[in-house]
Amino acid sequence: MKSKESEYRELFHSEALENFEELNRLFTDLENDNNDIHSINSIFRIVHTLKGNAMGMGFDSIAELTHVMEDVMDAVQQGNMALNKDLFDSLFKANDKLGALIDALKTEQKVSYLGIKTKLFVLLEKYTKAVEAKTDEPIQQKEAPVIEPNKEIPEPVSTQIAEEKEKKAFDFEREKDLELSENQVVKPQATKSEITFTDVIQIPVKKMDELMTLVGQLIIERDRLITLSNVDGKRTSEFEGLQRLTSDLQYSVMNARMVQVGFLFNKFHRIVRDVAAIESKNVGLVLQGTECEIDRNILKIMSDAMIHLVRNAVSHGIEDSETRKAKGKPERGTIILSAHYEKDNVVIEVSDDGNGIDANIIRKKIVEKGLAKKELAEHLSDKEVIMYIFEPGFSNAEKITEISGRGVGMDVVKKAAESIGGQINVDTEVGMGSTIKLNLPSSMALKGALLFALDEQEYAVALSFTEAVISLTKNEIHRITDGLMAQYLDQTIPLIFLKDIIGLENLMDCQKEGVLHQSFEQTEEDKKLDVIVLSYAGKLLGVVVDRLLQQKEIIEKSMVKPLEKTKLLSGTTILGNGRVCLVIDVSTITDLMFKTLAQKTVESEN
């Protein structure tokens, strides 16, 4: 059981973190429009509340920093302190330190904040002296405050003035109340004998995850009972009520974990502002579709990848103002973060109106970096070449900056998307801009899957990657170079027997002569073959399996040690019969096959 103190601490941390993110957004809005009274008032209100809460919890460092931020915003609110670049830089730095202090409540790391606190004090004292100089009436001198030996910096004069004003206001109101009580008979007011409660409660994410895990185990037990209740292969109606209730419970818990994508998108106002400042560029951010809902855990996994995409859009995509002006573009570049639903998925797009991606430059880079041989690079289409920007070791940075060129590439984006069963695509036009499209599942808890078997082992493949299921005979499959091809909807697609890949000790062995033909050669001429047509990154691949089983919603678990590095498998699930079902990693198998077939084609032509 958690103590009350730890619960209050966790609640404070959660609310303070939200306040920190909101301050980032409000400071950015205010920097764009210095006359935004709503932002000024909101910032003052947030830091004032945060200061009070921190004092109540005994978090002195947070209270001290928010106190001086409050004093600054009070001066701005009164119209006595000008908003300029120096002040904004200081406020942003102060908010960064505030975020670090909030994080330190959990990490217990020491955070140095006295430097920025002193800077804000100095700005305040400049403002105070300016006010004193403009005041016609002399200000009565008060006794110098006694400074404690361990106190590094005294309270600012403005704080003393503010406190004095608050005291006088309090005394004035008190005198009015006393005067009223002496001269008037006030009838007591009847109070409502009701207590109201908010309709919203806060639940830690960890508790929701634990509940989701328990629901997943409940679903597995339900399926096991239903399987056991089958009589002669026919399902009885005995457990229909249980199945309906558990499904409703499962979807209810899933919905409770859903958040609007705006929860993540709103954090990027500050990121775009900071990167643009470092790159000396004029860039604005536009948000669209912020009301789309997605699993909070998915947003958490994709957050670092999204930051990387947005930073790259500003650093590599958007040109500087002079270059844009010479091209006839608006001097201010635009980044658009948008989201929309597509079937059961949520599609997040990061667009910019900048340079675009030149496939010829990328083609040259992948050869220089040894990611592909020159003959293969020339054989690949522009779209296939551009997808190499997501390969480990690729970077198109011409210079090292604080944003890029430090060994972290776009492969982190691809890995993040694929780890949750998502896909990534790129649309680009040289000179006009680029759009990177992330097709993500709306929930991690439940995944639609197609079950199939190889020999006696069950496997699953995500429905999000499944284009179709078809039936072919051996004579409809053609042997070309060292691979197999078949017709699907008037187009020729590569085909593999999954059994040939599963049996390999090393996936790179598939490039050996005859490996991809083993099962094909052993198949009878008139035998009907079950083929799953997979779709990934705009490519189609036919996969031959022994037999199809059923379509089913599964709860996928990550591979455990020492199997977590098995590239061909993304995870496991447990079926109603109690057996472990392996989930195929579609991205790995598709990339592997197309690179292998492309290499074989080039070799055969030479």
Side-chain angles (χ1 to χ4, degrees), residues 24 26 71 146 183 188 209 253 394 564 576:
N24 263 333
L26 289 168
D71 288 341
V146 178
N183 300 325
D209 290 343
V253 176
F394 179 88
E564 80 278 8

Side-chain angles (χ1 to χ4, degrees), residues 261 265 299 306 338-339 346-350 436-438 440:
V261 294
F265 283 7
L299 281 190
M306 291 288 295
S338 67
V346 173
V347 177
I348 294 178
E349 296 181 350
V350 180
I436 295 181
K437 180 178 177 182
L438 299 169
L440 307 172

Side-chain angles (χ1 to χ4, degrees), residues 24-68:
N24 263 333
R25 185 185 69 81
L26 289 168
F27 280 132
T28 305
D29 290 346
L30 185 59
E31 187 179 39
N32 292 330
D33 180 7
N34 291 177
N35 298 316
D36 187 348
I37 302 300
H38 171 74
S39 293
I40 294 173
N41 293 338
S42 296
I43 293 168
F44 179 83
R45 175 181 52 79
I46 290 173
V47 293
H48 176 77
T49 303
L50 192 50
K51 178 196 73 173
N53 291 343
M55 290 175 66
M57 291 293 296
F59 302 141
D60 295 339
S61 54
I62 294 177
E64 289 175 13
L65 183 56
T66 50
H67 192 171
V68 70

Side-chain angles (χ1 to χ4, degrees), residues 372-388:
K373 294 181 179 179
K374 185 177 180 181
E375 296 80 8
L376 176 60
E378 292 174 351
H379 178 80
L380 297 172
S381 66
D382 286 353
K383 190 171 184 65
E384 288 174 323
V385 166
I386 288 172
M387 290 304 291
Y388 268 86

Side-chain angles (χ1 to χ4, degrees), residues 139-193:
I139 298 176
Q140 294 182 357
Q141 294 294 320
K142 298 179 65 175
E143 291 185 8
V146 178
I147 302 175
E148 298 173 14
N150 61 346
K151 194 167 185 178
E152 298 182 23
I153 301 172
E155 290 283 10
V157 178
S158 60
T159 304
Q160 297 173 15
I161 294 172
E163 289 176 350
E164 190 67 26
K165 284 181 179 178
E166 288 179 4
K167 183 177 182 301
K168 288 180 179 178
F170 174 76
D171 290 341
F172 176 72
E173 292 295 332
R174 188 181 174 194
E175 288 173 8
K176 284 179 64 179
D177 290 343
L178 288 171
E179 183 183 347
L180 182 65
S181 63
E182 291 174 358
N183 300 325
Q184 288 182 262
V185 177
V186 182
K187 294 181 180 179
Q189 298 293 319
T191 58
K192 293 174 67 177
S193 57

Side-chain angles (χ1 to χ4, degrees), residues 302-326:
M302 294 303 301
S303 60
D304 287 345
M306 291 288 295
I307 290 172
H308 202 70
L309 286 179
V310 171
R311 283 178 169 175
N312 270 287
V314 178
S315 182
H316 299 313
I318 301 294
E319 312 95 330
D320 60 71
S321 297
E322 291 300 318
T323 303
R324 291 180 64 84
K325 191 175 179 181

